[in-house]
Amino acid sequence: LLYSIHISFFMLGLWIVIFTRVISAVLILRFPVLGYLLSIFFDLTDLWIFEIFNSTFGVHYHIIDKILDMLMFIFAFIVSRKFDILSKNIIRGLFIWRIIGTIIFEVTKVRWIFFIFANIFENFYLFTAIRIKHFPKFSFTKKNAWWILILLAIPKLYHEWFLHISGKDMLVYQWTLRQIEKFGLRVQ
């Protein structure tokens, strides 16, 4: 009985992660900015939820994570079909670029591939969704598109370097676990 309770509690973490990531991804269709921001939030907190529920899935969760990431990207891509033609074309290219990078990573397992194929799609999608909703008079042209892409790429390249090359991501992860433990939650 105790073993089955442990397994149920163990699986609860996985189901919470899957539920929150799928629901937030679906919300992108109705709320393009809020849904995407929620999707990013739940993508960033999945490991913490696993720790709280003592649900360590290791390499197996990596596959689920990539599927859930693609779900988020696909819904954002669907929403982007309503954008202006220049934004649609840029988003299409960035979407394909990231998928190619993900496929290469899955074949090679070389983490720095994610730096080369950085997920600029995400930043550009958010920029465009916010621009269209809140700044519809902003003049978006081919000329300023390059500058905007460069400005959006800089933090994303740092993020990809931090996660996949530097090794410092574990320091942040360990600090976060200590913060969770301060609230009295047991983390292994």
Side-chain angles (χ1 to χ4, degrees):
L1 177 64
L2 284 176
Y3 180 74
S4 66
I5 291 171
H6 176 71
I7 293 298
S8 298
F9 191 68
F10 178 81
M11 292 301 293
L12 183 60
L14 176 63
W15 289 114
I16 288 172
V17 166
I18 291 173
F19 178 78
T20 56
R21 296 223 26 218
V22 168
I23 293 299
S24 61
V26 171
L27 283 174
I28 294 169
L29 297 172
R30 178 70 178 98
F31 306 102
V33 175
L34 178 63
Y36 206 87
L37 290 173
L38 284 172
S39 292
I40 292 170
F41 173 78
F42 288 123
D43 184 26
L44 294 173
T45 59
D46 55 2
L47 293 177
W48 302 333
I49 292 170
F50 288 151
E51 288 294 335
I52 290 168
F53 286 91
N54 196 18
S55 304
T56 52
F57 290 93
V59 74
H60 302 293
Y61 179 67
H62 164 76
I63 296 163
I64 296 169
D65 181 54
K66 287 297 161 222
I67 292 168
L68 294 170
D69 286 348
M70 283 298 131
L71 184 67
M72 178 173 70
F73 299 159
I74 289 168
F75 284 138
F77 186 74
I78 290 168
V79 168
S80 75
R81 293 183 358 208
K82 299 176 187 171
F83 296 168
D84 60 273
I85 191 75
L86 178 58
S87 296
K88 269 196 288 197
N89 288 337
I90 292 170
I91 285 176
R92 184 181 310 123
L94 293 172
F95 180 75
I96 292 167
W97 183 253
R98 183 58 174 196
I99 288 174
I100 289 169
T102 301
I103 292 168
I104 292 172
F105 170 76
E106 289 301 327
V107 170
T108 66
K109 302 296 185 211
V110 176
R111 291 179 60 87
W112 57 262
I113 291 295
F114 284 126
F115 180 78
I116 303 299
F117 291 87
N119 189 8
I120 301 165
F121 166 84
E122 194 166 75
N123 289 8
F124 187 76
Y125 167 81
L126 280 171
F127 165 81
T128 305
I130 291 168
R131 175 181 60 84
I132 288 171
K133 181 173 176 85
H134 299 289
F135 305 98
K137 296 194 188 298
F138 179 84
S139 177
F140 186 66
T141 64
K142 287 181 182 178
K143 187 176 181 179
N144 66 12
W146 287 107
W147 291 109
I148 290 166
L149 280 169
I150 289 168
L151 289 173
L152 293 172
I154 291 169
K156 196 60 189 179
L157 287 168
Y158 176 76
H159 179 244
E160 299 288 0
W161 171 82
F162 186 83
L163 285 178
H164 302 293
I165 298 173
S166 75
K168 295 178 183 179
D169 60 320
M170 287 309 295
L171 297 173
V172 173
Y173 177 68
Q174 291 164 353
W175 176 86
T176 305
L177 292 180
R178 288 193 301 275
Q179 303 316 305
I180 291 171
E181 288 172 344
K182 287 181 182 178
F183 287 100
L185 298 171
R186 189 175 145 262
V187 179
Q188 288 205 353

